[in-house]
Short mmCIF file of all heavy atoms in Angstrom, two decimals:
data_model
loop_
_atom_site.label_atom_id
_atom_site.label_comp_id
_atom_site.label_asym_id
_atom_site.label_seq_id
_atom_site.Cartn_x
_atom_site.Cartn_y
_atom_site.Cartn_z
N MET A 693 197.56 -22.65 20.04
CA MET A 693 197.38 -21.54 19.15
C MET A 693 196.13 -20.76 19.56
O MET A 693 195.09 -21.33 19.83
CB MET A 693 197.23 -22.06 17.72
CG MET A 693 197.11 -20.97 16.70
SD MET A 693 197.45 -21.58 15.05
CE MET A 693 195.79 -21.70 14.43
N THR A 694 196.25 -19.44 19.61
CA THR A 694 195.13 -18.60 20.00
C THR A 694 194.32 -18.21 18.79
O THR A 694 194.85 -17.69 17.81
CB THR A 694 195.66 -17.31 20.69
OG1 THR A 694 196.48 -17.67 21.79
CG2 THR A 694 194.51 -16.46 21.18
N GLU A 695 193.04 -18.46 18.86
CA GLU A 695 192.15 -18.12 17.76
C GLU A 695 191.64 -16.69 17.97
O GLU A 695 191.17 -16.35 19.05
CB GLU A 695 190.97 -19.08 17.73
CG GLU A 695 190.06 -18.85 16.56
CD GLU A 695 188.94 -19.88 16.51
OE1 GLU A 695 189.17 -21.03 16.90
OE2 GLU A 695 187.85 -19.51 16.09
N GLN A 696 191.76 -15.87 16.93
CA GLN A 696 191.27 -14.51 17.02
C GLN A 696 189.86 -14.43 16.48
O GLN A 696 189.55 -15.00 15.43
CB GLN A 696 192.17 -13.56 16.24
CG GLN A 696 193.53 -13.38 16.87
CD GLN A 696 194.28 -12.25 16.18
OE1 GLN A 696 193.75 -11.55 15.35
NE2 GLN A 696 195.52 -12.08 16.55
N ILE A 697 189.02 -13.75 17.22
CA ILE A 697 187.64 -13.56 16.78
C ILE A 697 187.58 -12.21 16.08
O ILE A 697 187.93 -11.18 16.65
CB ILE A 697 186.67 -13.59 17.98
CG1 ILE A 697 186.75 -14.94 18.68
CG2 ILE A 697 185.26 -13.28 17.52
CD1 ILE A 697 185.99 -15.02 19.96
N GLN A 698 187.17 -12.22 14.83
CA GLN A 698 187.06 -10.98 14.08
C GLN A 698 185.65 -10.44 14.16
O GLN A 698 184.68 -11.18 14.01
CB GLN A 698 187.43 -11.20 12.61
CG GLN A 698 188.90 -11.43 12.41
CD GLN A 698 189.25 -11.34 10.93
OE1 GLN A 698 188.40 -11.52 10.07
NE2 GLN A 698 190.49 -11.06 10.65
N LYS A 699 185.56 -9.14 14.42
CA LYS A 699 184.27 -8.49 14.44
C LYS A 699 183.86 -8.19 13.01
O LYS A 699 184.69 -7.87 12.18
CB LYS A 699 184.37 -7.18 15.23
CG LYS A 699 184.67 -7.39 16.71
CD LYS A 699 185.07 -6.11 17.39
CE LYS A 699 183.91 -5.20 17.61
NZ LYS A 699 184.26 -3.99 18.40
N PRO A 700 182.59 -8.29 12.72
CA PRO A 700 182.15 -7.97 11.35
C PRO A 700 182.32 -6.47 11.09
O PRO A 700 182.22 -5.65 12.00
CB PRO A 700 180.68 -8.37 11.34
CG PRO A 700 180.26 -8.35 12.77
CD PRO A 700 181.49 -8.70 13.56
N LEU A 701 182.61 -6.12 9.85
CA LEU A 701 182.72 -4.72 9.48
C LEU A 701 181.33 -4.10 9.49
O LEU A 701 180.38 -4.68 8.98
CB LEU A 701 183.34 -4.56 8.09
CG LEU A 701 184.81 -4.95 7.96
CD1 LEU A 701 185.25 -4.79 6.51
CD2 LEU A 701 185.67 -4.10 8.86
N VAL A 702 181.25 -2.93 10.10
CA VAL A 702 179.98 -2.20 10.14
C VAL A 702 180.17 -0.92 9.34
O VAL A 702 181.15 -0.20 9.51
CB VAL A 702 179.58 -1.87 11.59
CG1 VAL A 702 178.33 -1.02 11.63
CG2 VAL A 702 179.39 -3.15 12.39
N ILE A 703 179.24 -0.66 8.45
CA ILE A 703 179.29 0.53 7.61
C ILE A 703 178.26 1.53 8.13
O ILE A 703 177.10 1.17 8.36
CB ILE A 703 179.03 0.18 6.14
CG1 ILE A 703 180.12 -0.76 5.62
CG2 ILE A 703 178.95 1.46 5.29
CD1 ILE A 703 179.86 -1.31 4.25
N LEU A 704 178.70 2.76 8.31
CA LEU A 704 177.83 3.83 8.77
C LEU A 704 177.50 4.76 7.61
O LEU A 704 178.37 5.12 6.83
CB LEU A 704 178.52 4.65 9.87
CG LEU A 704 178.98 3.89 11.11
CD1 LEU A 704 179.77 4.81 12.02
CD2 LEU A 704 177.79 3.30 11.85
N LYS A 705 176.27 5.18 7.52
CA LYS A 705 175.86 6.17 6.55
C LYS A 705 176.18 7.56 7.11
O LYS A 705 176.47 7.73 8.30
CB LYS A 705 174.37 6.04 6.24
CG LYS A 705 174.01 4.70 5.59
CD LYS A 705 174.66 4.55 4.24
CE LYS A 705 173.91 5.43 3.25
NZ LYS A 705 174.43 5.38 1.91
N ARG A 706 176.12 8.57 6.24
CA ARG A 706 176.52 9.93 6.63
C ARG A 706 175.75 10.44 7.84
O ARG A 706 176.34 11.02 8.76
CB ARG A 706 176.36 10.90 5.47
CG ARG A 706 176.82 12.31 5.82
CD ARG A 706 176.66 13.29 4.68
NE ARG A 706 175.37 13.22 4.03
CZ ARG A 706 174.26 13.83 4.47
NH1 ARG A 706 174.28 14.55 5.55
NH2 ARG A 706 173.14 13.71 3.80
N LYS A 707 174.46 10.22 7.88
CA LYS A 707 173.66 10.69 9.02
C LYS A 707 174.13 10.06 10.33
O LYS A 707 174.16 10.73 11.37
CB LYS A 707 172.17 10.39 8.80
CG LYS A 707 171.54 11.16 7.68
CD LYS A 707 171.23 12.57 8.12
CE LYS A 707 170.45 13.29 7.04
NZ LYS A 707 170.13 14.64 7.42
N ASP A 708 174.53 8.80 10.27
CA ASP A 708 175.06 8.12 11.46
C ASP A 708 176.40 8.73 11.89
O ASP A 708 176.67 8.90 13.07
CB ASP A 708 175.23 6.62 11.21
CG ASP A 708 173.92 5.93 10.87
OD1 ASP A 708 172.88 6.29 11.47
OD2 ASP A 708 173.92 5.05 9.99
N VAL A 709 177.23 9.03 10.89
CA VAL A 709 178.54 9.65 11.17
C VAL A 709 178.33 11.03 11.78
O VAL A 709 178.99 11.39 12.77
CB VAL A 709 179.40 9.71 9.90
CG1 VAL A 709 180.69 10.48 10.15
CG2 VAL A 709 179.71 8.31 9.40
N GLU A 710 177.40 11.79 11.23
CA GLU A 710 177.10 13.11 11.79
C GLU A 710 176.63 12.99 13.24
O GLU A 710 177.05 13.77 14.11
CB GLU A 710 176.02 13.81 10.96
CG GLU A 710 176.49 14.27 9.61
CD GLU A 710 175.36 14.84 8.76
OE1 GLU A 710 174.22 14.98 9.25
OE2 GLU A 710 175.62 15.15 7.58
N ALA A 711 175.77 12.02 13.51
CA ALA A 711 175.25 11.83 14.87
C ALA A 711 176.36 11.42 15.85
O ALA A 711 176.40 11.91 16.98
CB ALA A 711 174.14 10.78 14.86
N ARG A 712 177.26 10.56 15.41
CA ARG A 712 178.33 10.10 16.30
C ARG A 712 179.38 11.16 16.56
O ARG A 712 179.90 11.27 17.66
CB ARG A 712 179.02 8.87 15.71
CG ARG A 712 178.23 7.62 15.89
CD ARG A 712 179.09 6.44 15.55
NE ARG A 712 178.32 5.23 15.66
CZ ARG A 712 178.83 4.06 15.93
NH1 ARG A 712 180.12 3.92 16.09
NH2 ARG A 712 178.06 3.00 16.01
N THR A 713 179.72 11.92 15.52
CA THR A 713 180.82 12.88 15.64
C THR A 713 180.35 14.27 16.02
O THR A 713 181.15 15.11 16.43
CB THR A 713 181.60 13.00 14.32
OG1 THR A 713 180.72 13.50 13.31
CG2 THR A 713 182.19 11.66 13.91
N LYS A 714 179.06 14.55 15.84
CA LYS A 714 178.47 15.88 16.06
C LYS A 714 179.02 16.90 15.08
O LYS A 714 179.01 18.09 15.33
CB LYS A 714 178.68 16.36 17.51
CG LYS A 714 178.22 15.38 18.56
CD LYS A 714 176.77 15.01 18.39
CE LYS A 714 176.33 14.09 19.52
NZ LYS A 714 175.37 13.10 19.09
N LEU A 715 179.51 16.43 13.92
CA LEU A 715 179.99 17.30 12.86
C LEU A 715 178.91 17.44 11.79
O LEU A 715 178.13 16.52 11.57
CB LEU A 715 181.25 16.73 12.20
CG LEU A 715 182.50 16.62 13.06
CD1 LEU A 715 183.60 15.89 12.29
CD2 LEU A 715 182.98 17.99 13.50
N SER A 716 178.90 18.59 11.14
CA SER A 716 177.97 18.79 10.02
C SER A 716 178.52 18.11 8.78
O SER A 716 179.70 17.75 8.71
CB SER A 716 177.80 20.28 9.75
OG SER A 716 179.01 20.83 9.26
N ARG A 717 177.67 17.98 7.79
CA ARG A 717 178.08 17.39 6.51
C ARG A 717 179.26 18.15 5.93
O ARG A 717 180.25 17.55 5.51
CB ARG A 717 176.90 17.39 5.55
CG ARG A 717 177.24 16.89 4.18
CD ARG A 717 176.04 17.00 3.26
NE ARG A 717 176.41 16.53 1.93
CZ ARG A 717 175.56 16.26 0.99
NH1 ARG A 717 174.27 16.41 1.20
NH2 ARG A 717 175.97 15.85 -0.19
N SER A 718 179.17 19.47 5.90
CA SER A 718 180.24 20.26 5.30
C SER A 718 181.54 20.14 6.09
O SER A 718 182.63 20.09 5.50
CB SER A 718 179.84 21.73 5.17
OG SER A 718 179.52 22.28 6.43
N SER A 719 181.45 20.04 7.40
CA SER A 719 182.65 19.86 8.22
C SER A 719 183.31 18.50 7.97
O SER A 719 184.53 18.40 7.92
CB SER A 719 182.32 19.99 9.71
OG SER A 719 181.90 21.30 10.01
N ILE A 720 182.49 17.48 7.80
CA ILE A 720 183.02 16.14 7.51
C ILE A 720 183.78 16.15 6.19
O ILE A 720 184.93 15.70 6.13
CB ILE A 720 181.88 15.09 7.48
CG1 ILE A 720 181.34 14.87 8.90
CG2 ILE A 720 182.35 13.78 6.86
CD1 ILE A 720 180.07 14.05 8.97
N TYR A 721 183.16 16.70 5.15
CA TYR A 721 183.81 16.69 3.84
C TYR A 721 185.02 17.62 3.79
O TYR A 721 186.01 17.32 3.10
CB TYR A 721 182.81 16.98 2.73
CG TYR A 721 181.98 15.74 2.43
CD1 TYR A 721 180.68 15.62 2.91
CD2 TYR A 721 182.51 14.68 1.71
CE1 TYR A 721 179.94 14.47 2.67
CE2 TYR A 721 181.78 13.54 1.46
CZ TYR A 721 180.50 13.44 1.94
OH TYR A 721 179.77 12.29 1.69
N ALA A 722 185.01 18.72 4.55
CA ALA A 722 186.18 19.59 4.62
C ALA A 722 187.34 18.86 5.31
O ALA A 722 188.50 18.96 4.88
CB ALA A 722 185.85 20.88 5.37
N ALA A 723 187.03 18.10 6.36
CA ALA A 723 188.07 17.34 7.06
C ALA A 723 188.61 16.20 6.20
O ALA A 723 189.81 15.89 6.26
CB ALA A 723 187.51 16.80 8.39
N ILE A 724 187.76 15.59 5.40
CA ILE A 724 188.22 14.55 4.48
C ILE A 724 189.20 15.17 3.48
O ILE A 724 190.27 14.62 3.22
CB ILE A 724 187.04 13.89 3.74
CG1 ILE A 724 186.20 13.06 4.71
CG2 ILE A 724 187.52 13.01 2.59
CD1 ILE A 724 184.85 12.63 4.16
N LYS A 725 188.83 16.33 2.94
CA LYS A 725 189.69 17.02 1.97
C LYS A 725 191.03 17.40 2.60
O LYS A 725 192.07 17.35 1.94
CB LYS A 725 188.98 18.27 1.45
CG LYS A 725 189.70 18.95 0.32
CD LYS A 725 188.88 20.09 -0.25
CE LYS A 725 189.63 20.73 -1.41
NZ LYS A 725 188.85 21.80 -2.03
N ALA A 726 191.02 17.73 3.90
CA ALA A 726 192.24 18.10 4.61
C ALA A 726 193.00 16.87 5.12
O ALA A 726 194.02 17.01 5.81
CB ALA A 726 191.90 19.02 5.78
N ASN A 727 192.50 15.68 4.82
CA ASN A 727 193.11 14.42 5.28
C ASN A 727 193.16 14.30 6.80
O ASN A 727 194.10 13.73 7.35
CB ASN A 727 194.50 14.22 4.67
CG ASN A 727 194.44 13.97 3.19
OD1 ASN A 727 193.58 13.23 2.71
ND2 ASN A 727 195.35 14.59 2.46
N THR A 728 192.16 14.85 7.47
CA THR A 728 192.09 14.75 8.93
C THR A 728 190.89 13.94 9.40
O THR A 728 190.60 13.88 10.60
CB THR A 728 192.04 16.15 9.57
OG1 THR A 728 190.89 16.84 9.09
CG2 THR A 728 193.31 16.94 9.26
N PHE A 729 190.19 13.32 8.46
CA PHE A 729 189.01 12.52 8.77
C PHE A 729 188.99 11.33 7.82
O PHE A 729 189.40 11.46 6.66
CB PHE A 729 187.73 13.36 8.57
CG PHE A 729 186.50 12.76 9.17
CD1 PHE A 729 186.22 12.90 10.52
CD2 PHE A 729 185.61 12.04 8.38
CE1 PHE A 729 185.07 12.34 11.07
CE2 PHE A 729 184.46 11.48 8.92
CZ PHE A 729 184.20 11.63 10.28
N PRO A 730 188.51 10.17 8.28
CA PRO A 730 188.48 8.99 7.41
C PRO A 730 187.65 9.22 6.15
O PRO A 730 186.56 9.80 6.21
CB PRO A 730 187.84 7.91 8.28
CG PRO A 730 187.99 8.38 9.68
CD PRO A 730 188.01 9.87 9.63
N ALA A 731 188.17 8.79 5.04
CA ALA A 731 187.45 8.90 3.77
C ALA A 731 186.37 7.82 3.70
O ALA A 731 186.53 6.73 4.25
CB ALA A 731 188.42 8.74 2.61
N PRO A 732 185.28 8.13 3.03
CA PRO A 732 184.23 7.12 2.88
C PRO A 732 184.62 6.08 1.85
O PRO A 732 185.55 6.27 1.07
CB PRO A 732 183.03 7.95 2.39
CG PRO A 732 183.66 9.08 1.65
CD PRO A 732 184.94 9.40 2.40
N ILE A 733 183.88 4.98 1.87
CA ILE A 733 184.05 3.95 0.86
C ILE A 733 182.82 3.99 -0.05
O ILE A 733 181.72 4.32 0.39
CB ILE A 733 184.22 2.54 1.48
CG1 ILE A 733 183.02 2.18 2.35
CG2 ILE A 733 185.52 2.45 2.27
CD1 ILE A 733 183.01 0.74 2.81
N ALA A 734 183.03 3.69 -1.31
CA ALA A 734 181.92 3.67 -2.27
C ALA A 734 181.08 2.42 -2.05
O ALA A 734 181.61 1.31 -1.96
CB ALA A 734 182.47 3.70 -3.69
N LEU A 735 179.78 2.61 -1.95
CA LEU A 735 178.85 1.50 -1.80
C LEU A 735 178.07 1.25 -3.07
O LEU A 735 177.54 0.17 -3.28
CB LEU A 735 177.88 1.77 -0.65
CG LEU A 735 178.51 1.99 0.72
CD1 LEU A 735 177.43 2.37 1.73
CD2 LEU A 735 179.26 0.76 1.17
N GLY A 736 178.00 2.25 -3.87
CA GLY A 736 177.27 2.17 -5.12
C GLY A 736 177.58 3.41 -5.93
O GLY A 736 178.44 4.21 -5.57
N GLU A 737 176.85 3.60 -7.01
CA GLU A 737 177.11 4.74 -7.88
C GLU A 737 176.92 6.08 -7.17
O GLU A 737 177.67 7.01 -7.37
CB GLU A 737 176.18 4.68 -9.10
CG GLU A 737 176.53 5.68 -10.17
CD GLU A 737 175.69 5.49 -11.42
OE1 GLU A 737 175.51 4.33 -11.83
OE2 GLU A 737 175.22 6.50 -11.94
N LYS A 738 175.92 6.17 -6.30
CA LYS A 738 175.63 7.41 -5.60
C LYS A 738 175.52 7.20 -4.09
O LYS A 738 174.79 7.93 -3.41
CB LYS A 738 174.33 8.02 -6.11
CG LYS A 738 174.40 8.46 -7.56
CD LYS A 738 173.11 9.11 -7.98
CE LYS A 738 173.20 9.59 -9.41
NZ LYS A 738 171.98 10.28 -9.83
N SER A 739 176.25 6.26 -3.57
CA SER A 739 176.15 5.94 -2.15
C SER A 739 177.53 5.68 -1.55
O SER A 739 178.34 4.97 -2.15
CB SER A 739 175.27 4.70 -1.97
OG SER A 739 175.13 4.38 -0.62
N VAL A 740 177.77 6.27 -0.40
CA VAL A 740 179.01 6.03 0.32
C VAL A 740 178.71 5.71 1.78
O VAL A 740 177.61 5.96 2.27
CB VAL A 740 179.98 7.25 0.25
CG1 VAL A 740 180.41 7.54 -1.17
CG2 VAL A 740 179.38 8.47 0.92
N GLY A 741 179.69 5.17 2.45
CA GLY A 741 179.57 4.87 3.87
C GLY A 741 180.95 4.91 4.50
O GLY A 741 181.97 4.95 3.80
N TRP A 742 180.98 4.92 5.81
CA TRP A 742 182.24 4.95 6.54
C TRP A 742 182.34 3.69 7.39
O TRP A 742 181.33 3.20 7.91
CB TRP A 742 182.28 6.16 7.47
CG TRP A 742 182.56 7.45 6.78
CD1 TRP A 742 183.76 8.09 6.72
CD2 TRP A 742 181.65 8.28 6.05
NE1 TRP A 742 183.64 9.26 6.00
CE2 TRP A 742 182.36 9.39 5.57
CE3 TRP A 742 180.29 8.18 5.75
CZ2 TRP A 742 181.76 10.40 4.82
CZ3 TRP A 742 179.70 9.18 5.00
CH2 TRP A 742 180.43 10.27 4.54
N LEU A 743 183.54 3.18 7.53
CA LEU A 743 183.76 2.01 8.38
C LEU A 743 183.69 2.45 9.84
O LEU A 743 184.36 3.40 10.25
CB LEU A 743 185.10 1.36 8.07
CG LEU A 743 185.21 0.77 6.67
CD1 LEU A 743 186.63 0.29 6.40
CD2 LEU A 743 184.22 -0.37 6.49
N GLU A 744 182.86 1.77 10.60
CA GLU A 744 182.63 2.13 11.99
C GLU A 744 183.92 2.19 12.79
O GLU A 744 184.13 3.13 13.58
CB GLU A 744 181.66 1.14 12.63
CG GLU A 744 181.34 1.45 14.08
CD GLU A 744 180.41 0.42 14.69
OE1 GLU A 744 180.64 -0.79 14.51
OE2 GLU A 744 179.44 0.85 15.33
N HIS A 745 184.81 1.23 12.59
CA HIS A 745 186.03 1.21 13.38
C HIS A 745 186.93 2.40 13.07
O HIS A 745 187.65 2.88 13.94
CB HIS A 745 186.78 -0.13 13.24
CG HIS A 745 187.45 -0.33 11.92
ND1 HIS A 745 186.81 -0.88 10.84
CD2 HIS A 745 188.71 -0.05 11.51
CE1 HIS A 745 187.65 -0.93 9.82
NE2 HIS A 745 188.81 -0.43 10.19
N GLU A 746 186.88 2.92 11.84
CA GLU A 746 187.67 4.11 11.50
C GLU A 746 187.09 5.35 12.16
O GLU A 746 187.84 6.21 12.64
CB GLU A 746 187.75 4.29 9.99
CG GLU A 746 188.57 3.23 9.30
CD GLU A 746 188.68 3.43 7.80
OE1 GLU A 746 188.00 4.30 7.23
OE2 GLU A 746 189.46 2.67 7.19
N ILE A 747 185.77 5.44 12.22
CA ILE A 747 185.13 6.58 12.90
C ILE A 747 185.39 6.50 14.40
O ILE A 747 185.73 7.51 15.03
CB ILE A 747 183.61 6.61 12.60
CG1 ILE A 747 183.36 6.79 11.10
CG2 ILE A 747 182.92 7.70 13.41
CD1 ILE A 747 183.99 8.03 10.48
N ASP A 748 185.30 5.30 14.97
CA ASP A 748 185.60 5.13 16.40
C ASP A 748 187.04 5.53 16.70
O ASP A 748 187.31 6.17 17.72
CB ASP A 748 185.34 3.69 16.84
CG ASP A 748 183.86 3.34 16.87
OD1 ASP A 748 183.01 4.26 16.85
OD2 ASP A 748 183.55 2.13 16.89
N ALA A 749 187.98 5.15 15.84
CA ALA A 749 189.38 5.51 16.04
C ALA A 749 189.58 7.02 15.93
O ALA A 749 190.36 7.60 16.70
CB ALA A 749 190.27 4.78 15.03
N TRP A 750 188.87 7.67 15.00
CA TRP A 750 188.97 9.12 14.86
C TRP A 750 188.46 9.81 16.13
O TRP A 750 189.10 10.73 16.64
CB TRP A 750 188.18 9.59 13.64
CG TRP A 750 188.27 11.08 13.45
CD1 TRP A 750 189.23 11.76 12.79
CD2 TRP A 750 187.36 12.06 13.95
NE1 TRP A 750 188.99 13.11 12.84
CE2 TRP A 750 187.83 13.33 13.55
CE3 TRP A 750 186.18 11.99 14.69
CZ2 TRP A 750 187.18 14.51 13.87
CZ3 TRP A 750 185.53 13.18 15.01
CH2 TRP A 750 186.03 14.41 14.60
N ILE A 751 187.33 9.34 16.65
CA ILE A 751 186.78 9.91 17.89
C ILE A 751 187.77 9.72 19.03
O ILE A 751 188.04 10.65 19.80
CB ILE A 751 185.40 9.29 18.23
CG1 ILE A 751 184.37 9.72 17.17
CG2 ILE A 751 184.96 9.68 19.63
CD1 ILE A 751 183.05 8.97 17.26
N ALA A 752 188.34 8.53 19.16
CA ALA A 752 189.32 8.26 20.21
C ALA A 752 190.54 9.16 20.09
O ALA A 752 191.08 9.64 21.09
CB ALA A 752 189.73 6.79 20.18
N SER A 753 190.97 9.43 18.85
CA SER A 753 192.13 10.30 18.65
C SER A 753 191.80 11.73 19.06
O SER A 753 192.66 12.44 19.60
CB SER A 753 192.63 10.26 17.21
OG SER A 753 191.75 10.95 16.34
N ARG A 754 190.57 12.18 18.82
CA ARG A 754 190.15 13.52 19.24
C ARG A 754 190.12 13.63 20.77
O ARG A 754 190.52 14.64 21.32
CB ARG A 754 188.78 13.87 18.67
CG ARG A 754 188.71 13.86 17.14
CD ARG A 754 189.62 14.87 16.51
NE ARG A 754 189.20 16.20 16.92
CZ ARG A 754 189.91 17.30 16.78
NH1 ARG A 754 191.10 17.25 16.24
NH2 ARG A 754 189.45 18.46 17.19
N VAL A 755 189.66 12.58 21.42
CA VAL A 755 189.63 12.57 22.89
C VAL A 755 191.06 12.63 23.41
O VAL A 755 191.39 13.44 24.30
CB VAL A 755 188.91 11.33 23.42
CG1 VAL A 755 189.10 11.19 24.93
CG2 VAL A 755 187.42 11.37 23.06
N ALA A 756 191.95 11.80 22.85
CA ALA A 756 193.35 11.78 23.29
C ALA A 756 194.01 13.14 23.07
O ALA A 756 194.73 13.63 23.94
CB ALA A 756 194.11 10.68 22.57
N ALA A 757 193.76 13.74 21.93
CA ALA A 757 194.36 15.05 21.63
C ALA A 757 193.86 16.11 22.58
O ALA A 757 194.63 16.97 23.03
CB ALA A 757 194.05 15.45 20.18
N SER A 758 192.59 16.06 22.95
CA SER A 758 192.06 17.07 23.87
C SER A 758 192.59 16.88 25.28
O SER A 758 192.76 17.84 26.02
CB SER A 758 190.54 17.05 23.86
OG SER A 758 190.04 15.91 24.51
N ARG A 759 192.87 15.64 25.65
CA ARG A 759 193.41 15.37 27.00
C ARG A 759 194.87 15.78 27.09
O ARG A 759 195.33 16.22 28.13
CB ARG A 759 193.26 13.89 27.34
CG ARG A 759 191.84 13.39 27.39
CD ARG A 759 191.03 14.09 28.45
NE ARG A 759 189.71 13.50 28.59
CZ ARG A 759 188.58 14.12 28.29
NH1 ARG A 759 188.60 15.35 27.84
NH2 ARG A 759 187.42 13.53 28.46
N ASN A 760 195.61 15.62 25.99
CA ASN A 760 197.04 15.97 25.99
C ASN A 760 197.27 17.46 25.84
O ASN A 760 198.34 17.95 26.17
CB ASN A 760 197.75 15.22 24.85
CG ASN A 760 197.79 13.73 25.09
OD1 ASN A 760 197.74 13.28 26.22
ND2 ASN A 760 197.85 12.96 24.03
N ALA A 761 196.29 18.19 25.34
CA ALA A 761 196.44 19.64 25.13
C ALA A 761 196.31 20.41 26.44
O ALA A 761 196.78 21.53 26.54
CB ALA A 761 195.40 20.14 24.13
N ALA A 762 195.69 19.81 27.43
CA ALA A 762 195.44 20.51 28.70
C ALA A 762 196.67 20.64 29.55
O ALA A 762 197.65 20.06 29.47
CB ALA A 762 194.35 19.79 29.49
#
């Protein structure tokens, strides 16, 4: 039987998401509203974060889309 190693979930704050995606805050929230960007998860009453693997997948999908458009 093969044992799978699970990576721990990493949560990114908005500033980290902005740095990784090069999107502004307003662009991120507009894309969330348009269902084209991962939604954040609630961390507290006034705090949200994004799952790193979802942001990585979104970036990878943008790269794939730009390569297929050429």
Side-chain angles (χ1 to χ4, degrees):
M693 183 162 103
T694 304
E695 184 177 326
Q696 290 190 7
I697 300 172
Q698 289 192 337
K699 295 167 73 175
L701 292 178
V702 175
I703 298 172
L704 303 173
K705 296 296 285 180
R706 182 180 46 83
K707 293 282 187 180
D708 299 322
V709 174
E710 289 175 5
R712 282 192 183 207
T713 63
K714 308 303 183 215
L715 295 174
S716 67
R717 176 183 179 166
S718 59
S719 294
I720 290 170
Y721 282 102
I724 291 167
K725 188 174 182 178
N727 291 319
T728 59
F729 194 82
I733 58 171
L735 300 175
E737 190 174 317
K738 294 183 178 183
S739 181
V740 297
W742 284 260
L743 295 173
E744 181 182 47
H745 72 273
E746 291 181 352
I747 298 303
D748 290 344
W750 181 86
I751 293 169
S753 73
R754 300 298 297 165
V755 170
S758 72
R759 299 298 186 246
N760 293 334

